[in-house]
Amino acid sequence: MKRLAETLGAVVARRDAPGGAAILFSGQEVLWSGAAGLRDVPAASPLLLTSKARVASVSKVATALTLLKLVEADQIDLDRDISDALGFKLRHPKFPDSPITPRMILSHTAGIRDGETYRGVVGESLEGFFVPGGKNWNDGKHWADLSQPFGFFTYSNLAMGLLAQACENAGGDRFDRLTQKLVFTPLGIDCGFNWSGITDQAAGDAATLYRRKAVGDWEVQVDGSPATLPRPNIATEPGLSLSDYTLGSNGLLFSPQGGLRASVVDLARIGMALSGAVALLEPAMRTLVLTPQWTYRADPKNGDTSGGAFQGFGLGVHRLIPGDQCPVAGLKTEMVGHYGEAYGLLAGLWVDPVSTRGFAWFITGSLYGPAPGQRSGVYRVEEEMMQAAADDLGLVDL
């Protein structure tokens, strides 16, 4: 397990990050874990293995698992019009007769894309993003310009709000509480969306996220002084509070696309659920999650790969496919999980569902404009961390 420890230490030592943590696991066994650097730069407080950070798009795995637990309970149908669980009719303006389903949204093939914002606010509705005249309609920029209905991959943060809103209406509770009940508590982990359910101890040990210029000090991006933040921490229109929120009206409120605060230990437990080493999903549902829903094709082009970062997707999980575009050179078998990037944080959770070996990692800051990767569409530091972890786990051909 030497390679990952050395790589993490080097990333922090050369000031590519103020701090970072990583974990390797097989089945339910933790093979190695470690942390380096700082969680609070001005206070020189060390990053702990249990320090929680805003893990960006890795959060989407937890969002997907929450919805899939409701599918297992027959409260949501993967292939039924999601409008039935939203409280409004969702239609692509170019294809008004074509229903959009949860399966399409989970695999990012519903024709939804990000506009200028996807911030959830008490006093606003999710519907306002998708219907002409809505407060956040943004000239319809949230709808991809497609020549035929659906199937074309357009990665979307905004679309996660639709899944969260469907969960609220089907499950009869706020999204943050549903994730606790259906996913986090069964997995035995203390984490939550937008700080919901996080203990005083965990908040005190949590990490601030940073960026810095090529020459300069680390600058706070989000979660400065975490222990002082409200829990949950949500945005509201002036004069309103969380008590004014109407259940099932704005699925973006708890940032289902990226607002999970979790440690690498927490992420490892989620990875164990994906591999089946920890029982969370029924076997048939876990098989469905791992079944390819979209694979990139260049001609005719069937998706936007974000510079090569996206090559395949399952049901709510990214597929890491061996080959020339893979950030892990020599990867022997496909892995599933997700990248994370926001507010300086870079992260990942990846598992081989066959061997049940996997890893999770994050760094708590990066440069404004990190160095690009040498073989894929992700950053160099991501390639380095992923390669080191896969090497240590014996998942590559040397």
Side-chain angles (χ1 to χ4, degrees), residues 39-74:
R39 68 179 190 270
D40 181 328
V41 172
S45 301
L47 184 72
L48 308 175
L49 185 65
T50 54
S51 290
K52 300 186 190 301
R54 186 186 188 279
V55 296
S57 288
V58 180
S59 307
K60 291 180 174 69
V61 178
T63 296
L65 290 173
T66 303
L67 182 131
L68 293 171
K69 291 302 294 180
L70 292 170
V71 173
E72 288 183 343
D74 293 325

Side-chain angles (χ1 to χ4, degrees), residues 99-173:
I100 294 172
T101 69
R103 185 190 299 268
M104 294 174 187
I105 296 171
L106 283 167
S107 58
H108 297 274
T109 57
I112 299 166
R113 63 184 180 186
D114 295 337
E116 295 175 0
T117 181
Y118 41 86
R119 185 170 180 249
V121 180
V122 174
E124 297 180 0
S125 72
L126 181 63
E127 182 179 7
F129 286 83
F130 294 102
V131 298
K135 183 172 181 179
N136 292 295
W137 171 241
N138 198 203
D139 295 324
K141 292 179 181 177
H142 303 121
W143 293 106
D145 185 12
L146 303 175
S147 59
Q148 58 185 14
F150 319 127
F152 192 93
F153 183 87
T154 52
Y155 183 76
S156 174
N157 290 287
L158 174 64
M160 297 301 102
L162 296 167
L163 299 180
Q165 186 152 314
C167 288
E168 289 193 347
N169 284 313
D173 204 348

Side-chain angles (χ1 to χ4, degrees), residues 177-200:
R177 293 171 177 162
L178 287 169
T179 60
Q180 294 285 347
K181 181 175 78 170
L182 298 176
V183 179
F184 303 145
T185 297
L187 290 178
I189 53 180
D190 164 32
C191 53
F193 280 87
N194 281 7
W195 295 104
S196 179
I198 302 295
T199 64
D200 291 344

Side-chain angles (χ1 to χ4, degrees), residues 82-386:
I82 197 172
S83 301
D84 296 340
L86 291 178
F88 68 93
K89 189 173 183 178
L90 181 73
R91 288 292 187 272
H92 194 299
K94 288 182 66 175
F95 311 108
D97 298 324
S98 298
I100 294 172
T101 69
R103 185 190 299 268
M104 294 174 187
I105 296 171
L106 283 167
S107 58
H108 297 274
T109 57
I112 299 166
R113 63 184 180 186
D114 295 337
E116 295 175 0
T117 181
Y118 41 86
R119 185 170 180 249
V121 180
V122 174
E124 297 180 0
S125 72
L126 181 63
E127 182 179 7
F129 286 83
F130 294 102
V131 298
K135 183 172 181 179
N136 292 295
W137 171 241
N138 198 203
D139 295 324
K141 292 179 181 177
H142 303 121
W143 293 106
D145 185 12
L146 303 175
S147 59
Q148 58 185 14
F150 319 127
F152 192 93
F153 183 87
T154 52
Y155 183 76
S156 174
N157 290 287
L158 174 64
M160 297 301 102
L162 296 167
L163 299 180
Q165 186 152 314
C167 288
E168 289 193 347
N169 284 313
D173 204 348
R174 285 189 341 223
F175 175 73
D176 61 315
R177 293 171 177 162
L178 287 169
T179 60
Q180 294 285 347
K181 181 175 78 170
L182 298 176
V183 179
F184 303 145
T185 297
L187 290 178
I189 53 180
D190 164 32
C191 53
F193 280 87
N194 281 7
W195 295 104
S196 179
I198 302 295
T199 64
D200 291 344
Q201 179 68 49
D205 291 340
T208 297
L209 300 185
Y210 300 89
R211 285 191 178 103
R212 74 172 179 87
K213 300 179 177 66
V215 178
D217 296 327
W218 292 107
E219 301 170 4
V220 174
Q221 302 296 298
V222 73
D223 290 346
S225 303
T228 68
L229 297 173
R231 284 174 269 149
N233 189 16
I234 50 98
T236 69
E237 288 190 336
L240 299 182
S241 67
L242 182 56
S243 63
D244 296 301
Y245 175 61
T246 300
L247 185 70
S249 65
N250 196 337
L252 292 169
L253 190 61
F254 288 92
S255 304
Q257 81 289 343
L260 179 63
R261 269 64 174 188
S263 69
V264 292
V265 177
D266 299 327
L267 295 181
R269 290 290 291 177
I270 294 173
M272 292 172 190
L274 289 178
S275 76
V278 173
L280 179 70
L281 296 176
E282 296 172 2
M285 180 60 72
R286 193 180 71 85
T287 298
L288 190 59
V289 169
L290 303 177
T291 300
Q293 303 292 315
W294 171 83
T295 303
Y296 178 62
R297 183 185 64 235
D299 188 19
K301 186 177 180 181
N302 70 342
D304 179 359
T305 68
S306 296
F310 295 105
Q311 295 294 314
F313 234 82
L315 203 61
V317 292
H318 185 111
R319 294 165 49 224
L320 198 64
I321 301 173
D324 293 341
Q325 288 292 320
C326 183
V328 178
L331 185 66
K332 292 188 288 188
T333 185
E334 189 169 305
M335 303 184 78
V336 296
H338 219 289
Y339 295 112
E341 177 196 357
Y343 299 109
L345 172 133
L346 296 172
L349 167 63
W350 301 100
V351 62
D352 168 17
V354 177
S355 71
T356 73
R357 286 173 285 178
F359 60 91
W361 69 279
F362 62 64
I363 55 174
T364 58
S366 55
L367 295 171
Y368 288 100
Q374 296 181 318
R375 56 176 287 112
S376 69
V378 301
Y379 296 119
R380 183 188 67 181
V381 67
E382 293 177 279
E383 290 185 347
E384 291 174 340
M385 291 293 292
M386 294 171 71

